[in-house]
Amino acid sequence: MITVTRLDHTRFAVNPDLIERVHEAPDTTIHMVDGHVYVVEETLDQLTDLIVAYRARILATAQAFSGHSED
């Protein structure tokens, strides 16, 4: 999950695997595969960074559980 902030400054978590697209003009909107749309404070670039970091954590965790190293 990634944590994002609504325009009223409340925070919530989103499963990035369920994001269909993100649009920025000027507000950033997250469009989910189920049709929900969220307007958030984070920029498109910040959301991209959050999603990349999330996926890196998933891969690192999977690698740790499998006992393999990339040396």
Side-chain angles (χ1 to χ4, degrees):
M1 303 288 270
I2 61 170
T3 304
V4 294
T5 311
R6 289 184 173 100
L7 297 182
D8 69 0
H9 305 294
T10 58
R11 294 171 43 127
F12 67 103
V14 173
N15 181 344
D17 294 328
L18 299 178
I19 294 174
E20 180 180 327
R21 69 183 185 279
V22 177
H23 186 70
E24 184 180 62
D27 291 333
T28 306
T29 55
I30 302 173
H31 298 259
M32 308 300 290
V33 296
D34 66 1
H36 282 87
V37 177
Y38 300 104
V39 181
V40 297
E41 290 184 354
E42 288 77 12
T43 65
L44 178 60
D45 290 338
Q46 289 170 325
L47 284 174
T48 301
D49 290 344
L50 287 170
I51 293 168
V52 168
Y54 165 79
R55 297 203 190 289
R57 284 193 312 270
I58 296 298
L59 291 173
T61 301
Q63 185 178 29
F65 280 124
S66 70
H68 292 101
S69 173
E70 291 211 18
D71 292 332

